[in-house]
Amino acid sequence: MNTYSLDYIDDLYVRYIQDPNSVSDVWRKYFEEFSLATQSEALYSGNEPVGGNNGEVPDALWLARMQERVDQLVREYRVRGHLMAKIDPLGLNRKGPPELDPQSHGLTEEDMNRPFTSPTLEYANGRTVGDIIEKLRTTYCRSIGAQFMHVDNRNIRDWLQRRMESTENRLALSREVQTRIYTKLADATIFEEFVRKKYATAKTFSLEGAESLIPLLDRALEKAGQHEVKGVVLAMAHRGRLNVLANVMGKRPQSIFWSFDDPNPELFRGGGDVKYHMGYSSDWTTSTGQTIHISLCFNPSHLEFVNPVALGRCRAKQDRAGDITRSEHMTILIHGDAAFIGEGVVQETLNLSELPGYRTGGTLHIVLNNQIGFTTEPAESRSSTYASDIAKMLQIPIFHVNGEDPEAVAQVVNLAMDFRKEFEKDVVIDMYAYRRLGHNEGDEPRYTQPVMYAAIDAKKPVRDSYLEHLLSMNELTRQEADAIAEVRHNRLSREFELAKSEPFVHDLTSLTGIWDGYFGGPEPVNEQLTTGVSRAVAGELLARACDVPEGFRPHRKLVRILDDRREIAAGRQPLDWASAEMLAFATLITEGHPVRLTGQDCERGTFSHRHAVLHDEKDNRKHMPLKHLSPNQAMIEIINSPLSESAVLGYEYGYSLDCPEGLIAWEAQFGDFSNVAQCVIDQFIASAEDKWKRLSRLVMLLPHGFEGQGPEHCSARLERYLLMAAEHNVIVAQPSTPAQYFHLLRRQVKSKWSKPLIVLTPKSLLRNKACVSSLDDIEHGCFRKILPDDRPAGTPTSRIILCSGKAYYDLLDERTRLGRDDVALVRVEQFYPLEASKVLETLSVYEAGTPLYWYQDEPSNMGAWQFVKIHWGDELAARFQLQRISRAESASPSTGSSRAHKLEERDLLNAAFGLA
């Protein structure tokens, strides 16, 4: 019902007064109850009905109209009050929407003084209409603008209304808390002033203009302690990061000043990162004595891609601690306004928040709103009213707050943290501030924003304005404020002098705690490693992995697949790829190593091969046999991810940072889908050890193979991973047998040498009868980087073909068809790291000068050819003349025509056997 429906009700009511039987039973009952209620209220209040005729039409309609108008106005303030809130510290007081004007609802000045009861505003009962409006304005239109009426859940809306309207969105702060807020503002302001004075030309990405972030974080951590949170994962971009490191994380200013001075450049040749990208961890002690461990994530320049990394770390910490309620660890993400609305990974990350495989119990999002992105203004960078509007997809509240009102900031933090605790959902604080300096300290923002910066130049720091407020309220004296500032100046001066006088000490903390005993760097030469599992244990575990509960009804085709796996377990059929993978998972979890695999459709497998999670065909209930192998087994999660690559890969990378003992894997639906996550690969996975001294053992499974399915479904872009391979930063492998895959996965977990593992996995080989192994290979084998030809020793050889993956089986079939036993087929199973000497050792059985070919499906500008030529070519040339067999160079990986694909494949095979 709304104002426009009152004319219709007027007409019905007039008809009812004239003849009650002229309206329907429903409306007659309504009008009878309404008339009784109206008369009772009039008698109770001592007022005469307006028309003096004791309940005739004009009186009842007036009351109905007044009730409707006031209720609608109340709702408009709750829905649109934020549009009139004074949230901009630069003083842009927006004109409120007409819906907030009482006159637009037919309420006159005379009506303002009428006592009125609104059932939708329980805290204002008995007040005048004017009182009700004033209460709404102070609640929703001062320094806080709240968006929450878009939330469908009425319990959430009611909870927020009670919390905000009962206090008019203000905290009653003690002198102690006010002093603490001022102290944190002093910390933030004095740090920035000191750094700018000492390092005038350095880039620091100053927090000036948004100093309220420091008391905001302080208050958030205090509330986290009250909520019994034990750990916080914090992530942010570069703006204000040095300030957060010094004043929240507790990093010594001496160490920060060292990074400005850069006294030992030889330590960072070709490595390291800028100071405002670095991570840190520390313990925070709240005012009541609780200890919270804080981990600040390292972050590259792609600002928001750290978000899923932080969430993955939080989930891993929760799982490690057995925190199944997701309450003991939380994530705080600090965003820039332009990046929050502009970068798609934000939406991908928000979408993870309520998914069972990714939930962390609610994230506190803080949008550090400088109202500009470098030189781009909001009107040029978003189509929405607010930078935070993307978060409305989650059905969560969004609080806009003026950063120059620190007490309003404190209220919002309290409310946001309590909301997160109550509903276990994300929540957003959009703190409006400004950027006093340019994008960096050497930038001149007045070139492009002269009016904005004229307003900024006239602003005093928030510390000064808040001090004036406290002085006027007699909550703090000038002497106390000066003493607070003096302590901070003196400490920074001492730390600055120490940075100049004491030798540089490299701050390396990444290989302690759960990473103790693991190591990066070059591949160890003599690491003793056993990845085999006895045939008996392997058979028993694989058989158990086929068990289903009594009464569970898998699809009839799955019954046959499970029967085949039981035959494999009994040794009566060879081991296929999917069974080898299942066996790798089973052996790891029963040995105490957690396993987590996520990706699009990975429960079943894109190519309908894995079937790790079974569905009852009658009621669709799920069953994962791998969860029921042993009462003491480790956790296993195999989770279908949303249609996302960047956020999901970032999440699993983050998870791997806090789970070194587990197998943490992400599977692309097709290998080239990793293209979409290239930022995560480049800026985290491939370079984190070099930049930040952080290790990861993440596994990326990338289906690869040229099989006539078109350019987007063939290539995992092997060349990209080989191009970024350097300093033993990653492992790039393409195993060609189930046993090799089994040992590779187990090696990744069992070895203490820690690198991300990129695996090119097969598609057609999943069902190729030649691509099989035996349980003996599982028991006695190990992963081998290169597999020699399997012909009998001494067989004459006219040519040698180096190859990898599916190409081997194509060549093997052709060699058999042609009866060409004179051709040796040598498989490269691990491209990197693999020294040329190892390749030469394998080829040493062949006579020098024997023609040697590198064979690949990919065009010559893709695949491994360039890597092979550069890394092995010179050494191989000492004995052989290395040549290439591949498709011609191409802008696209392959043709979209299946018949053209077959023609090209025939040409390749003819060239391989000298028939072209």
Side-chain angles (χ1 to χ4, degrees), residues 653-892:
Y653 171 75
Y655 197 106
S656 75
L657 296 176
D658 282 84
C659 188
E661 75 280 14
L663 178 68
I664 312 303
W666 172 74
E667 182 177 63
Q669 194 170 59
F670 286 87
D672 68 299
F673 285 21
S674 62
N675 295 347
V676 184
Q678 201 63 41
C679 178
V680 177
I681 298 164
D682 290 348
Q683 300 202 357
F684 288 96
I685 294 172
S687 56
E689 182 178 350
D690 198 29
K691 292 192 295 189
W692 308 310
K693 308 304 178 189
R694 291 305 304 264
L695 304 180
S696 167
R697 297 155 66 82
L698 178 72
V699 178
M700 292 174 58
L701 303 178
L702 308 179
H704 175 87
F706 280 61
E707 292 150 351
Q709 297 186 53
E712 267 54 81
H713 286 164
C714 64
S715 178
R717 295 290 189 172
L718 171 63
E719 63 276 2
R720 293 184 180 173
Y721 299 101
L722 295 179
L723 184 64
M724 68 179 66
E727 300 179 297
H728 292 80
N729 61 331
V730 294
I731 303 169
V732 182
Q734 188 172 22
S736 63
T737 73
Q740 280 280 87
Y741 182 49
F742 170 86
H743 289 294
L744 178 64
L745 293 179
R746 284 182 55 81
R747 186 191 73 174
Q748 181 70 2
V749 176
K750 293 296 184 178
S751 175
K752 295 297 183 181
W753 185 57
S754 302
K755 304 289 170 177
L757 169 63
I758 294 100
V759 187
L760 278 71
T761 57
K763 297 180 294 180
S764 64
L765 298 188
L766 296 173
R767 292 174 178 81
N768 190 315
K769 298 299 184 183
C771 183
V772 292
S773 302
S774 70
L775 291 181
D776 286 339
D777 297 326
I778 296 298
E779 180 171 11
H780 301 296
C782 64
F783 180 76
R784 294 185 288 171
K785 295 182 180 181
I786 188 165
L787 295 179
D789 185 74
D790 57 3
R791 296 173 306 154
T795 302
T797 301
S798 65
R799 61 174 52 198
I800 311 161
I801 300 179
L802 280 172
C803 61
S804 187
K806 168 187 171 288
Y808 166 76
Y809 292 94
D810 295 338
L811 291 164
L812 182 63
D813 285 347
E814 187 70 1
R815 185 175 74 176
T816 302
R817 187 182 74 83
L818 296 173
R820 291 289 301 275
D821 288 342
D822 60 314
V823 178
L825 303 179
V826 179
R827 283 172 277 178
V828 175
E829 300 283 288
Q830 178 172 302
F831 287 98
Y832 188 83
L834 176 61
E835 295 72 26
S837 59
K838 181 68 174 177
V839 182
L840 272 174
E841 179 185 333
T842 304
L843 300 180
S844 64
V845 299
Y846 304 111
E847 184 178 344
T850 304
L852 174 65
Y853 299 89
W854 172 257
Y855 179 99
Q856 66 179 38
D857 279 335
E858 299 92 341
S860 61
N861 58 316
M862 301 178 192
W865 166 241
Q866 301 294 337
F867 176 87
V868 168
K869 185 169 61 173
I870 292 171
H871 286 261
W872 307 336
D874 289 345
E875 294 190 46
L876 293 178
R879 282 180 53 85
F880 309 98
Q881 183 180 356
L882 180 63
Q883 301 173 65
R884 166 186 56 84
I885 299 172
S886 74
R887 285 173 167 83
E889 68 175 20
S890 173
S892 176

Side-chain angles (χ1 to χ4, degrees), residues 523-728:
E523 184 177 14
V525 178
N526 298 315
E527 186 180 24
Q528 299 298 314
L529 198 62
T530 300
T531 57
V533 176
S534 75
R535 183 185 179 111
V537 169
E540 182 182 357
L541 288 175
L542 188 56
R544 284 189 207 166
C546 301
D547 290 344
V548 296
E550 186 176 350
F552 190 88
R553 298 152 296 190
H555 190 278
R556 62 184 181 279
K557 291 183 180 179
L558 278 177
V559 172
R560 186 171 66 251
I561 290 172
L562 294 175
D563 287 341
D564 287 342
R565 285 186 182 169
R566 293 186 184 98
E567 292 293 297
I568 294 170
R572 291 189 288 268
Q573 286 189 22
L575 184 71
D576 61 18
W577 194 276
S579 298
E581 180 188 73
M582 183 125 352
L583 192 52
F585 293 166
T587 57
L588 287 171
I589 59 178
T590 53
E591 291 168 7
H593 299 283
V595 171
R596 177 181 167 93
L597 169 64
T598 71
Q600 294 159 19
D601 309 297
C602 70
E603 290 183 359
R604 189 200 77 176
T606 297
F607 310 103
S608 197
H609 66 287
R610 181 170 291 122
H611 298 293
V613 179
L614 309 177
H615 294 251
D616 188 295
E617 67 175 352
K618 299 300 182 183
D619 56 23
N620 206 38
R621 60 192 164 113
K622 292 184 178 183
H623 176 67
M624 187 194 296
L626 286 169
K627 283 190 173 182
H628 306 279
L629 302 181
S630 166
N632 299 317
Q633 70 181 63
M635 176 201 79
I636 181 166
E637 292 183 302
I638 298 179
I639 300 164
N640 285 342
S641 77
L643 194 63
S644 159
E645 288 84 27
S646 292
V648 173
L649 179 57
Y651 192 102
E652 301 312 324
Y653 171 75
Y655 197 106
S656 75
L657 296 176
D658 282 84
C659 188
E661 75 280 14
L663 178 68
I664 312 303
W666 172 74
E667 182 177 63
Q669 194 170 59
F670 286 87
D672 68 299
F673 285 21
S674 62
N675 295 347
V676 184
Q678 201 63 41
C679 178
V680 177
I681 298 164
D682 290 348
Q683 300 202 357
F684 288 96
I685 294 172
S687 56
E689 182 178 350
D690 198 29
K691 292 192 295 189
W692 308 310
K693 308 304 178 189
R694 291 305 304 264
L695 304 180
S696 167
R697 297 155 66 82
L698 178 72
V699 178
M700 292 174 58
L701 303 178
L702 308 179
H704 175 87
F706 280 61
E707 292 150 351
Q709 297 186 53
E712 267 54 81
H713 286 164
C714 64
S715 178
R717 295 290 189 172
L718 171 63
E719 63 276 2
R720 293 184 180 173
Y721 299 101
L722 295 179
L723 184 64
M724 68 179 66
E727 300 179 297
H728 292 80

Side-chain angles (χ1 to χ4, degrees), residues 310-336:
L311 290 173
R313 293 194 65 186
C314 183
R315 173 80 174 221
K317 289 175 184 291
Q318 292 171 343
D319 289 345
R320 175 178 293 280
D323 180 15
I324 59 175
T325 62
R326 312 289 174 200
S327 60
E328 294 180 6
H329 296 79
M330 67 170 291
T331 308
I332 299 176
L333 300 179
I334 303 173
H335 315 269

Side-chain angles (χ1 to χ4, degrees), residues 154-276:
R154 181 171 180 174
N155 291 333
I156 290 177
R157 296 199 308 272
D158 289 348
W159 186 90
L160 289 165
Q161 285 171 196
R162 286 194 299 271
R163 283 291 303 265
M164 290 188 286
E165 293 172 7
S166 63
T167 62
E168 297 186 4
N169 243 350
R170 280 284 169 176
L171 272 179
L173 298 176
S174 65
R175 183 181 188 277
E176 179 184 9
V177 173
Q178 289 175 319
T179 302
R180 183 174 179 123
I181 291 173
Y182 174 76
T183 301
K184 296 302 176 183
L185 287 172
D187 285 337
T189 304
I190 292 169
F191 177 84
E192 295 295 349
E193 292 172 348
F194 188 91
V195 168
R196 187 147 49 90
K197 180 179 179 181
K198 297 297 184 182
Y199 303 99
T201 61
K203 290 182 180 180
T204 66
F205 296 96
S206 167
L207 189 61
E208 291 176 82
E211 294 93 336
S212 289
L213 176 66
I214 301 304
L216 188 162
L217 290 172
D218 175 75
R219 190 74 188 171
L221 292 169
E222 287 290 305
K223 288 294 290 186
Q226 294 174 23
H227 296 160
E228 300 183 343
V229 172
K230 297 177 182 178
V232 170
V233 179
L234 177 62
M236 65 183 299
H238 45 263
R239 177 76 54 206
R241 191 180 187 90
L242 295 181
N243 210 310
V244 170
L245 281 167
N247 293 313
V248 176
M249 300 302 300
K251 186 172 186 176
R252 284 191 64 178
Q254 178 188 18
S255 181
I256 296 173
F257 299 150
W258 265 331
S259 65
F260 278 101
D261 295 332
D262 199 10
N264 295 96
E266 64 276 6
L267 292 177
F268 302 101
R269 283 181 178 269
D273 201 355
V274 291
K275 49 191 159 295
Y276 36 79

Side-chain angles (χ1 to χ4, degrees), residues 240-405:
R241 191 180 187 90
L242 295 181
N243 210 310
V244 170
L245 281 167
N247 293 313
V248 176
M249 300 302 300
K251 186 172 186 176
R252 284 191 64 178
Q254 178 188 18
S255 181
I256 296 173
F257 299 150
W258 265 331
S259 65
F260 278 101
D261 295 332
D262 199 10
N264 295 96
E266 64 276 6
L267 292 177
F268 302 101
R269 283 181 178 269
D273 201 355
V274 291
K275 49 191 159 295
Y276 36 79
H277 288 172
M278 303 303 288
Y280 198 71
S281 62
S282 62
D283 288 333
W284 170 284
T285 303
T286 70
S287 59
T288 52
Q290 293 102 326
T291 298
I292 302 174
H293 185 73
I294 315 175
S295 301
L296 174 63
C297 298
F298 39 80
N299 189 25
S301 288
H302 273 70
L303 314 173
E304 301 290 338
F305 279 84
V306 73
N307 299 344
V309 175
L311 290 173
R313 293 194 65 186
C314 183
R315 173 80 174 221
K317 289 175 184 291
Q318 292 171 343
D319 289 345
R320 175 178 293 280
D323 180 15
I324 59 175
T325 62
R326 312 289 174 200
S327 60
E328 294 180 6
H329 296 79
M330 67 170 291
T331 308
I332 299 176
L333 300 179
I334 303 173
H335 315 269
D337 50 316
F340 192 68
I341 193 65
E343 294 196 6
V345 72
V346 173
Q347 182 274 334
E348 290 188 33
T349 305
L350 292 172
N351 188 50
L352 298 178
S353 68
E354 293 296 314
L355 305 181
Y358 304 90
R359 285 193 70 252
T360 58
T363 297
L364 174 62
H365 298 270
I366 301 166
V367 179
L368 192 60
N369 196 331
N370 291 314
Q371 307 185 70
I372 193 169
F374 204 153
T375 66
T376 305
E377 297 179 357
E380 300 168 319
S381 65
R382 65 174 186 257
S383 299
S384 57
T385 302
Y386 296 109
S388 56
D389 279 349
I390 186 68
K392 292 171 74 173
M393 63 179 279
L394 289 189
Q395 299 277 300
I396 58 173
I398 301 168
F399 301 107
H400 310 280
V401 61
N402 190 321
E404 287 213 332
D405 187 343

